[in-house]
Amino acid sequence: MSAGTERFVGHIAGLGTTSGVRIVIGMWASSPFGAFTDVMVQSAEGTRTLLAPSSSIADYVSGAYSFDVVRVEPLSVSMGEDSLSLDAGPLSVEAELGATTGVGRLLGLIPTAVATHPRWLTAINPVAKVLMPGVRTVGATRDQRRQYYGVTGARLITSARVSWAGDDLGELSSVRPRVRFGFSSVPKKPQVVDVTTIAVVVPSEVSGT
């Protein structure tokens, strides 16, 4: 894509299963591609799979993060007050949502303009590392964009039914080991966060040096 700043606004759901499969669902209401959903799946053995709704989104996401398998699949998702439902090719997720997390309540007190600003996210990155091991609010993507994660709310996932190609993946579990698609994982406790992601092309990429 062209040089500059790219902004994605929506939700990220992270959950694990007792089979060892871990799943990260990006549900974007606003982005350079319009509204879309993509899914990152890491198996118990460590294989990282991207499920994307189009080749252009697959190319963009796989350029920013690391995957062993990339698949273009039809994706549909719905999230209500108490539930999340996803159909993504071979993957099916039916999850129940619970209360706002403690961190989510604190984040809700911060004005969105502050909570999603790169300067704020750079400043709190050391704190995020300590409070939520594996989680980062700022870092570099594989294609050398500077990326910021600004979370403004968080709700627990309390239960989930997850299957792959019809095979049950077990009960809801923590996201451990942490996922390794990029510089940041998701929180250990299964949850859905409200997030603004900002990607900035670094000067060397703009100038071609």
Side-chain angles (χ1 to χ4, degrees):
M1 301 184 69
S2 60
T5 300
E6 300 153 350
R7 182 182 292 266
F8 297 74
V9 181
H11 310 278
I12 295 176
L15 64 150
T17 66
T18 51
S19 66
V21 174
R22 290 139 287 154
I23 299 163
V24 179
I25 306 168
M27 298 166 280
W28 306 109
S30 173
S31 83
F33 300 93
F36 75 94
T37 297
D38 67 316
V39 185
M40 305 177 190
V41 182
Q42 188 159 12
S43 71
E45 297 76 26
T47 301
R48 298 162 297 181
T49 299
L50 170 66
L51 303 174
S54 70
S55 57
S56 59
I57 292 173
D59 290 345
Y60 180 86
V61 177
S62 61
Y65 303 99
S66 298
F67 301 96
D68 305 296
V69 179
V70 176
R71 297 175 56 158
V72 175
E73 300 280 359
L75 279 80
S76 64
V77 67
S78 63
M79 187 172 71
E81 185 66 26
D82 301 314
S83 63
L84 168 65
S85 178
L86 170 79
D87 284 308
L91 179 67
S92 174
V93 177
E94 297 288 341
E96 299 297 322
L97 307 182
T100 299
T101 68
V103 172
R105 287 193 293 272
L106 290 175
L107 290 170
L109 300 175
I110 303 170
T112 299
V114 174
T116 60
H117 196 285
R119 289 182 182 174
W120 167 261
L121 296 170
T122 299
I124 66 169
N125 190 49
V127 178
K129 292 180 183 179
V130 174
L131 294 180
M132 293 176 286
V135 173
R136 304 289 185 268
T137 57
V138 61
T141 62
R142 195 163 69 93
D143 52 5
Q144 295 307 301
R145 284 170 168 80
R146 193 72 170 166
Q147 191 170 59
Y148 304 87
Y149 289 112
V151 175
T152 56
R155 295 181 62 193
L156 294 173
I157 298 174
T158 57
S159 66
R161 297 187 302 277
V162 185
S163 64
W164 182 275
D167 293 331
D168 185 10
L169 297 182
E171 297 182 0
L172 182 69
S173 182
S174 299
V175 186
R176 284 295 181 270
R178 65 188 181 98
V179 292
R180 298 187 178 276
F181 306 111
F183 64 85
S184 180
S185 182
V186 293
K188 177 181 178 180
K189 186 172 291 186
Q191 58 192 275
V192 178
V193 301
D194 308 323
V195 63
T196 295
T197 299
I198 299 171
V200 181
V201 179
V202 297
S204 60
E205 186 173 351
V206 173
S207 63
T209 58

Short mmCIF file of all heavy atoms in Angstrom, two decimals, residues 37-96:
data_model
loop_
_atom_site.label_atom_id
_atom_site.label_comp_id
_atom_site.label_asym_id
_atom_site.label_seq_id
_atom_site.Cartn_x
_atom_site.Cartn_y
_atom_site.Cartn_z
N THR A 37 -12.90 -9.31 8.30
CA THR A 37 -12.45 -10.16 9.41
C THR A 37 -11.32 -11.05 8.91
O THR A 37 -11.37 -11.55 7.79
CB THR A 37 -13.61 -11.05 9.92
OG1 THR A 37 -14.65 -10.21 10.44
CG2 THR A 37 -13.14 -12.00 11.01
N ASP A 38 -10.30 -11.21 9.74
CA ASP A 38 -9.25 -12.18 9.45
C ASP A 38 -8.96 -12.98 10.71
O ASP A 38 -9.27 -12.54 11.82
CB ASP A 38 -7.98 -11.51 8.91
CG ASP A 38 -7.29 -10.65 9.96
OD1 ASP A 38 -7.99 -9.89 10.67
OD2 ASP A 38 -6.05 -10.70 10.07
N VAL A 39 -8.39 -14.17 10.54
CA VAL A 39 -8.16 -15.06 11.67
C VAL A 39 -6.75 -15.63 11.60
O VAL A 39 -6.30 -16.07 10.53
CB VAL A 39 -9.18 -16.22 11.69
CG1 VAL A 39 -8.98 -17.06 12.95
CG2 VAL A 39 -10.60 -15.70 11.62
N MET A 40 -6.06 -15.61 12.74
CA MET A 40 -4.75 -16.22 12.87
C MET A 40 -4.88 -17.41 13.82
O MET A 40 -5.43 -17.28 14.91
CB MET A 40 -3.73 -15.22 13.41
CG MET A 40 -3.64 -13.95 12.60
SD MET A 40 -2.48 -12.76 13.32
CE MET A 40 -2.83 -11.31 12.32
N VAL A 41 -4.39 -18.56 13.39
CA VAL A 41 -4.51 -19.80 14.16
C VAL A 41 -3.12 -20.41 14.35
O VAL A 41 -2.38 -20.56 13.37
CB VAL A 41 -5.42 -20.81 13.44
CG1 VAL A 41 -5.58 -22.08 14.27
CG2 VAL A 41 -6.78 -20.20 13.12
N GLN A 42 -2.78 -20.75 15.58
CA GLN A 42 -1.53 -21.46 15.83
C GLN A 42 -1.84 -22.81 16.47
O GLN A 42 -2.55 -22.89 17.47
CB GLN A 42 -0.59 -20.66 16.73
CG GLN A 42 0.80 -21.30 16.85
CD GLN A 42 1.88 -20.34 17.28
OE1 GLN A 42 1.62 -19.23 17.69
NE2 GLN A 42 3.13 -20.77 17.18
N SER A 43 -1.32 -23.88 15.85
CA SER A 43 -1.59 -25.23 16.32
C SER A 43 -0.76 -25.56 17.56
O SER A 43 0.18 -24.83 17.91
CB SER A 43 -1.28 -26.24 15.22
OG SER A 43 0.12 -26.34 15.02
N ALA A 44 -1.07 -26.67 18.19
CA ALA A 44 -0.30 -27.13 19.34
C ALA A 44 1.15 -27.37 18.96
O ALA A 44 2.06 -27.20 19.79
CB ALA A 44 -0.92 -28.40 19.91
N GLU A 45 1.39 -27.77 17.72
CA GLU A 45 2.76 -28.04 17.25
C GLU A 45 3.48 -26.76 16.82
O GLU A 45 4.68 -26.79 16.55
CB GLU A 45 2.73 -29.01 16.07
CG GLU A 45 2.17 -30.39 16.39
CD GLU A 45 0.66 -30.40 16.53
OE1 GLU A 45 -0.01 -29.54 15.92
OE2 GLU A 45 0.15 -31.27 17.29
N GLY A 46 2.75 -25.66 16.72
CA GLY A 46 3.36 -24.38 16.39
C GLY A 46 3.08 -23.86 14.99
O GLY A 46 3.49 -22.75 14.66
N THR A 47 2.39 -24.62 14.16
CA THR A 47 2.08 -24.17 12.80
C THR A 47 1.15 -22.96 12.85
O THR A 47 0.11 -22.98 13.52
CB THR A 47 1.42 -25.29 11.98
OG1 THR A 47 2.30 -26.40 11.92
CG2 THR A 47 1.12 -24.81 10.56
N ARG A 48 1.52 -21.90 12.12
CA ARG A 48 0.77 -20.65 12.12
C ARG A 48 0.01 -20.51 10.79
O ARG A 48 0.64 -20.49 9.73
CB ARG A 48 1.71 -19.47 12.31
CG ARG A 48 2.45 -19.50 13.65
CD ARG A 48 3.66 -18.60 13.64
NE ARG A 48 4.64 -19.05 12.64
CZ ARG A 48 5.81 -18.45 12.42
NH1 ARG A 48 6.14 -17.38 13.12
NH2 ARG A 48 6.63 -18.91 11.49
N THR A 49 -1.31 -20.38 10.89
CA THR A 49 -2.16 -20.31 9.70
C THR A 49 -2.93 -19.01 9.69
O THR A 49 -3.50 -18.61 10.72
CB THR A 49 -3.15 -21.49 9.67
OG1 THR A 49 -2.42 -22.72 9.64
CG2 THR A 49 -4.06 -21.41 8.45
N LEU A 50 -2.96 -18.36 8.53
CA LEU A 50 -3.78 -17.17 8.33
C LEU A 50 -4.99 -17.54 7.49
O LEU A 50 -4.86 -18.17 6.43
CB LEU A 50 -2.99 -16.08 7.61
CG LEU A 50 -3.80 -14.87 7.12
CD1 LEU A 50 -4.37 -14.09 8.29
CD2 LEU A 50 -2.94 -13.96 6.23
N LEU A 51 -6.17 -17.15 7.94
CA LEU A 51 -7.41 -17.26 7.17
C LEU A 51 -7.84 -15.84 6.84
O LEU A 51 -8.13 -15.04 7.73
CB LEU A 51 -8.49 -17.98 7.98
CG LEU A 51 -8.14 -19.38 8.50
CD1 LEU A 51 -9.26 -19.90 9.40
CD2 LEU A 51 -7.87 -20.33 7.35
N ALA A 52 -7.88 -15.52 5.54
CA ALA A 52 -8.21 -14.17 5.10
C ALA A 52 -9.31 -14.22 4.06
O ALA A 52 -9.43 -15.19 3.31
CB ALA A 52 -6.97 -13.49 4.52
N PRO A 53 -10.12 -13.15 3.95
CA PRO A 53 -11.27 -13.18 3.04
C PRO A 53 -10.95 -12.86 1.58
O PRO A 53 -11.81 -13.03 0.72
CB PRO A 53 -12.19 -12.12 3.64
CG PRO A 53 -11.26 -11.14 4.27
CD PRO A 53 -10.13 -11.97 4.81
N SER A 54 -9.74 -12.37 1.31
CA SER A 54 -9.37 -12.03 -0.07
C SER A 54 -7.86 -12.12 -0.21
O SER A 54 -7.11 -12.09 0.77
CB SER A 54 -9.83 -10.61 -0.43
OG SER A 54 -9.08 -9.65 0.28
N SER A 55 -7.40 -12.22 -1.46
CA SER A 55 -5.95 -12.31 -1.70
C SER A 55 -5.24 -11.01 -1.32
O SER A 55 -4.11 -11.05 -0.84
CB SER A 55 -5.69 -12.66 -3.16
OG SER A 55 -6.28 -11.72 -4.03
N SER A 56 -5.90 -9.87 -1.52
CA SER A 56 -5.25 -8.60 -1.17
C SER A 56 -5.05 -8.48 0.33
O SER A 56 -3.99 -8.04 0.80
CB SER A 56 -6.06 -7.43 -1.71
OG SER A 56 -7.38 -7.43 -1.17
N ILE A 57 -6.04 -8.88 1.12
CA ILE A 57 -5.89 -8.85 2.58
C ILE A 57 -4.89 -9.90 3.03
O ILE A 57 -4.06 -9.65 3.91
CB ILE A 57 -7.26 -9.04 3.26
CG1 ILE A 57 -8.13 -7.81 2.98
CG2 ILE A 57 -7.10 -9.27 4.75
CD1 ILE A 57 -9.56 -7.95 3.47
N ALA A 58 -4.92 -11.08 2.41
CA ALA A 58 -3.94 -12.11 2.75
C ALA A 58 -2.53 -11.63 2.49
O ALA A 58 -1.62 -11.84 3.32
CB ALA A 58 -4.22 -13.37 1.93
N ASP A 59 -2.30 -10.94 1.38
CA ASP A 59 -0.97 -10.43 1.06
C ASP A 59 -0.54 -9.38 2.08
O ASP A 59 0.62 -9.36 2.52
CB ASP A 59 -0.96 -9.83 -0.35
CG ASP A 59 -1.07 -10.87 -1.44
OD1 ASP A 59 -0.87 -12.06 -1.15
OD2 ASP A 59 -1.37 -10.48 -2.59
N TYR A 60 -1.45 -8.49 2.44
CA TYR A 60 -1.12 -7.44 3.39
C TYR A 60 -0.77 -8.02 4.76
O TYR A 60 0.25 -7.69 5.35
CB TYR A 60 -2.27 -6.45 3.52
CG TYR A 60 -1.99 -5.33 4.49
CD1 TYR A 60 -1.32 -4.18 4.09
CD2 TYR A 60 -2.36 -5.44 5.82
CE1 TYR A 60 -1.04 -3.17 4.99
CE2 TYR A 60 -2.09 -4.43 6.73
CZ TYR A 60 -1.43 -3.29 6.31
OH TYR A 60 -1.15 -2.29 7.22
N VAL A 61 -1.65 -8.88 5.28
CA VAL A 61 -1.46 -9.41 6.63
C VAL A 61 -0.23 -10.32 6.69
O VAL A 61 0.56 -10.26 7.64
CB VAL A 61 -2.72 -10.15 7.10
CG1 VAL A 61 -2.49 -10.77 8.48
CG2 VAL A 61 -3.91 -9.20 7.14
N SER A 62 -0.03 -11.14 5.67
CA SER A 62 1.15 -12.04 5.68
C SER A 62 2.44 -11.28 5.44
O SER A 62 3.53 -11.77 5.76
CB SER A 62 0.99 -13.15 4.64
OG SER A 62 0.89 -12.61 3.33
N GLY A 63 2.35 -10.05 4.90
CA GLY A 63 3.52 -9.22 4.79
C GLY A 63 3.93 -8.62 6.12
O GLY A 63 5.11 -8.37 6.38
N ALA A 64 2.93 -8.40 6.99
CA ALA A 64 3.18 -7.79 8.29
C ALA A 64 3.52 -8.81 9.38
O ALA A 64 4.28 -8.50 10.30
CB ALA A 64 1.97 -6.96 8.72
N TYR A 65 2.93 -10.02 9.28
CA TYR A 65 3.10 -11.04 10.31
C TYR A 65 3.61 -12.33 9.67
O TYR A 65 3.59 -12.48 8.45
CB TYR A 65 1.77 -11.30 11.02
CG TYR A 65 1.17 -10.07 11.64
CD1 TYR A 65 0.17 -9.37 10.99
CD2 TYR A 65 1.62 -9.59 12.87
CE1 TYR A 65 -0.39 -8.22 11.55
CE2 TYR A 65 1.08 -8.45 13.44
CZ TYR A 65 0.07 -7.77 12.77
OH TYR A 65 -0.46 -6.63 13.33
N SER A 66 4.03 -13.27 10.50
CA SER A 66 4.65 -14.50 10.00
C SER A 66 3.68 -15.68 10.07
O SER A 66 3.08 -15.94 11.12
CB SER A 66 5.90 -14.83 10.84
OG SER A 66 6.87 -13.81 10.71
N PHE A 67 3.56 -16.40 8.94
CA PHE A 67 2.68 -17.56 8.86
C PHE A 67 3.38 -18.68 8.09
O PHE A 67 4.21 -18.43 7.21
CB PHE A 67 1.36 -17.21 8.15
CG PHE A 67 0.59 -16.13 8.84
CD1 PHE A 67 0.70 -14.81 8.42
CD2 PHE A 67 -0.22 -16.42 9.92
CE1 PHE A 67 0.01 -13.81 9.07
CE2 PHE A 67 -0.92 -15.44 10.58
CZ PHE A 67 -0.81 -14.12 10.15
N ASP A 68 2.99 -19.90 8.42
CA ASP A 68 3.46 -21.07 7.69
C ASP A 68 2.49 -21.45 6.58
O ASP A 68 2.87 -22.04 5.57
CB ASP A 68 3.64 -22.25 8.66
CG ASP A 68 4.54 -21.89 9.82
OD1 ASP A 68 5.73 -21.62 9.58
OD2 ASP A 68 4.05 -21.85 10.97
N VAL A 69 1.21 -21.12 6.78
CA VAL A 69 0.15 -21.43 5.82
C VAL A 69 -0.75 -20.21 5.68
O VAL A 69 -1.12 -19.59 6.68
CB VAL A 69 -0.71 -22.63 6.29
CG1 VAL A 69 -1.82 -22.93 5.29
CG2 VAL A 69 0.16 -23.86 6.52
N VAL A 70 -1.09 -19.84 4.43
CA VAL A 70 -2.01 -18.74 4.17
C VAL A 70 -3.15 -19.28 3.31
O VAL A 70 -2.92 -19.88 2.26
CB VAL A 70 -1.31 -17.58 3.44
CG1 VAL A 70 -2.32 -16.49 3.09
CG2 VAL A 70 -0.19 -17.00 4.31
N ARG A 71 -4.39 -19.07 3.77
CA ARG A 71 -5.56 -19.57 3.06
C ARG A 71 -6.56 -18.44 2.87
O ARG A 71 -6.84 -17.68 3.82
CB ARG A 71 -6.23 -20.71 3.84
CG ARG A 71 -5.35 -21.94 4.00
CD ARG A 71 -5.99 -23.01 4.86
NE ARG A 71 -7.31 -23.44 4.38
CZ ARG A 71 -7.84 -24.61 4.69
NH1 ARG A 71 -7.19 -25.47 5.49
NH2 ARG A 71 -9.03 -24.95 4.24
N VAL A 72 -7.10 -18.31 1.66
CA VAL A 72 -8.19 -17.39 1.39
C VAL A 72 -9.49 -18.17 1.51
O VAL A 72 -9.70 -19.15 0.80
CB VAL A 72 -8.05 -16.75 0.00
CG1 VAL A 72 -9.26 -15.89 -0.32
CG2 VAL A 72 -6.77 -15.92 -0.07
N GLU A 73 -10.33 -17.75 2.44
CA GLU A 73 -11.56 -18.47 2.75
C GLU A 73 -12.70 -17.47 2.95
O GLU A 73 -12.47 -16.33 3.37
CB GLU A 73 -11.40 -19.28 4.05
CG GLU A 73 -10.31 -20.32 4.03
CD GLU A 73 -10.72 -21.60 3.32
OE1 GLU A 73 -11.89 -21.67 2.85
OE2 GLU A 73 -9.90 -22.52 3.24
N PRO A 74 -13.94 -17.90 2.70
CA PRO A 74 -15.08 -17.04 3.07
C PRO A 74 -15.18 -16.95 4.59
O PRO A 74 -15.08 -17.96 5.28
CB PRO A 74 -16.29 -17.77 2.47
CG PRO A 74 -15.84 -19.20 2.36
CD PRO A 74 -14.36 -19.16 2.07
N LEU A 75 -15.32 -15.75 5.10
CA LEU A 75 -15.41 -15.53 6.55
C LEU A 75 -16.67 -14.76 6.87
O LEU A 75 -17.01 -13.79 6.20
CB LEU A 75 -14.20 -14.73 7.06
CG LEU A 75 -12.90 -15.49 7.33
CD1 LEU A 75 -12.13 -15.73 6.05
CD2 LEU A 75 -12.03 -14.70 8.31
N SER A 76 -17.36 -15.20 7.91
CA SER A 76 -18.49 -14.43 8.43
C SER A 76 -18.40 -14.42 9.94
O SER A 76 -18.03 -15.43 10.58
CB SER A 76 -19.82 -15.04 7.97
OG SER A 76 -19.99 -16.34 8.50
N VAL A 77 -18.73 -13.27 10.53
CA VAL A 77 -18.64 -13.13 11.98
C VAL A 77 -19.78 -12.26 12.46
O VAL A 77 -20.24 -11.35 11.75
CB VAL A 77 -17.28 -12.52 12.40
CG1 VAL A 77 -17.15 -11.08 11.92
CG2 VAL A 77 -17.07 -12.61 13.90
N SER A 78 -20.27 -12.56 13.65
CA SER A 78 -21.25 -11.69 14.30
C SER A 78 -20.92 -11.63 15.78
O SER A 78 -20.57 -12.66 16.39
CB SER A 78 -22.68 -12.20 14.08
OG SER A 78 -22.86 -13.47 14.66
N MET A 79 -21.00 -10.44 16.33
CA MET A 79 -20.73 -10.27 17.76
C MET A 79 -21.83 -9.41 18.36
O MET A 79 -22.09 -8.28 17.91
CB MET A 79 -19.37 -9.62 18.00
CG MET A 79 -19.00 -9.60 19.48
SD MET A 79 -17.29 -9.06 19.80
CE MET A 79 -17.43 -7.32 19.40
N GLY A 80 -22.49 -9.95 19.36
CA GLY A 80 -23.54 -9.24 20.06
C GLY A 80 -23.11 -8.89 21.47
O GLY A 80 -21.92 -8.96 21.82
N GLU A 81 -24.07 -8.56 22.29
CA GLU A 81 -23.78 -8.17 23.67
C GLU A 81 -23.19 -9.34 24.46
O GLU A 81 -22.31 -9.14 25.31
CB GLU A 81 -25.06 -7.69 24.34
CG GLU A 81 -24.87 -7.15 25.75
CD GLU A 81 -24.03 -5.88 25.80
OE1 GLU A 81 -24.00 -5.15 24.80
OE2 GLU A 81 -23.43 -5.65 26.86
N ASP A 82 -23.65 -10.56 24.16
CA ASP A 82 -23.24 -11.71 24.98
C ASP A 82 -22.58 -12.84 24.21
O ASP A 82 -22.24 -13.86 24.80
CB ASP A 82 -24.47 -12.28 25.70
CG ASP A 82 -25.15 -11.25 26.58
OD1 ASP A 82 -24.44 -10.55 27.32
OD2 ASP A 82 -26.39 -11.14 26.51
N SER A 83 -22.40 -12.68 22.89
CA SER A 83 -21.90 -13.82 22.13
C SER A 83 -21.08 -13.39 20.92
O SER A 83 -21.20 -12.26 20.43
CB SER A 83 -23.06 -14.71 21.66
OG SER A 83 -23.91 -14.00 20.80
N LEU A 84 -20.27 -14.33 20.46
CA LEU A 84 -19.44 -14.14 19.27
C LEU A 84 -19.54 -15.42 18.44
O LEU A 84 -19.37 -16.52 18.97
CB LEU A 84 -17.99 -13.89 19.66
CG LEU A 84 -16.93 -13.95 18.57
CD1 LEU A 84 -17.14 -12.83 17.56
CD2 LEU A 84 -15.53 -13.86 19.17
N SER A 85 -19.85 -15.28 17.15
CA SER A 85 -19.98 -16.43 16.26
C SER A 85 -19.12 -16.19 15.03
O SER A 85 -19.19 -15.13 14.40
CB SER A 85 -21.44 -16.61 15.86
OG SER A 85 -21.59 -17.68 14.95
N LEU A 86 -18.31 -17.21 14.67
CA LEU A 86 -17.41 -17.09 13.52
C LEU A 86 -17.46 -18.36 12.68
O LEU A 86 -17.39 -19.46 13.20
CB LEU A 86 -15.96 -16.88 14.01
CG LEU A 86 -14.88 -16.97 12.93
CD1 LEU A 86 -14.80 -15.69 12.12
CD2 LEU A 86 -13.52 -17.29 13.54
N ASP A 87 -17.56 -18.18 11.36
CA ASP A 87 -17.36 -19.25 10.39
C ASP A 87 -16.27 -18.78 9.45
O ASP A 87 -16.41 -17.75 8.78
CB ASP A 87 -18.64 -19.54 9.61
CG ASP A 87 -19.63 -20.33 10.44
OD1 ASP A 87 -19.25 -21.38 10.98
OD2 ASP A 87 -20.79 -19.90 10.55
N ALA A 88 -15.17 -19.52 9.40
CA ALA A 88 -14.01 -19.12 8.61
C ALA A 88 -13.41 -20.34 7.94
O ALA A 88 -12.45 -20.93 8.44
CB ALA A 88 -12.97 -18.43 9.49
N GLY A 89 -14.01 -20.74 6.79
CA GLY A 89 -13.52 -21.94 6.13
C GLY A 89 -13.64 -23.15 7.05
O GLY A 89 -14.74 -23.50 7.48
N PRO A 90 -12.51 -23.79 7.40
CA PRO A 90 -12.58 -24.96 8.26
C PRO A 90 -12.84 -24.66 9.73
O PRO A 90 -13.17 -25.55 10.51
CB PRO A 90 -11.18 -25.59 8.10
CG PRO A 90 -10.30 -24.41 7.79
CD PRO A 90 -11.14 -23.50 6.95
N LEU A 91 -12.70 -23.39 10.12
CA LEU A 91 -12.78 -23.01 11.53
C LEU A 91 -14.17 -22.50 11.90
O LEU A 91 -14.74 -21.66 11.21
CB LEU A 91 -11.75 -21.93 11.84
CG LEU A 91 -11.72 -21.41 13.29
CD1 LEU A 91 -11.26 -22.49 14.26
CD2 LEU A 91 -10.82 -20.17 13.38
N SER A 92 -14.69 -23.02 13.02
CA SER A 92 -15.95 -22.54 13.57
C SER A 92 -15.76 -22.20 15.05
O SER A 92 -15.16 -22.99 15.79
CB SER A 92 -17.04 -23.61 13.42
OG SER A 92 -18.23 -23.21 14.06
N VAL A 93 -16.25 -21.03 15.45
CA VAL A 93 -16.16 -20.61 16.85
C VAL A 93 -17.52 -20.09 17.29
O VAL A 93 -18.11 -19.24 16.61
CB VAL A 93 -15.10 -19.50 17.05
CG1 VAL A 93 -15.08 -19.03 18.51
CG2 VAL A 93 -13.72 -19.96 16.62
N GLU A 94 -18.01 -20.59 18.41
CA GLU A 94 -19.21 -20.08 19.06
C GLU A 94 -18.82 -19.77 20.50
O GLU A 94 -18.54 -20.69 21.27
CB GLU A 94 -20.35 -21.10 19.02
CG GLU A 94 -20.84 -21.47 17.64
CD GLU A 94 -21.63 -20.35 16.99
OE1 GLU A 94 -22.11 -19.45 17.73
OE2 GLU A 94 -21.76 -20.36 15.75
N ALA A 95 -18.77 -18.49 20.85
CA ALA A 95 -18.27 -18.09 22.16
C ALA A 95 -19.29 -17.26 22.91
O ALA A 95 -20.10 -16.53 22.31
CB ALA A 95 -16.97 -17.30 22.01
N GLU A 96 -19.24 -17.38 24.23
CA GLU A 96 -20.07 -16.56 25.11
C GLU A 96 -19.18 -15.48 25.75
O GLU A 96 -18.04 -15.76 26.16
CB GLU A 96 -20.71 -17.41 26.20
CG GLU A 96 -21.63 -18.51 25.67
CD GLU A 96 -22.83 -17.93 24.93
OE1 GLU A 96 -23.36 -16.88 25.39
OE2 GLU A 96 -23.23 -18.51 23.91
#
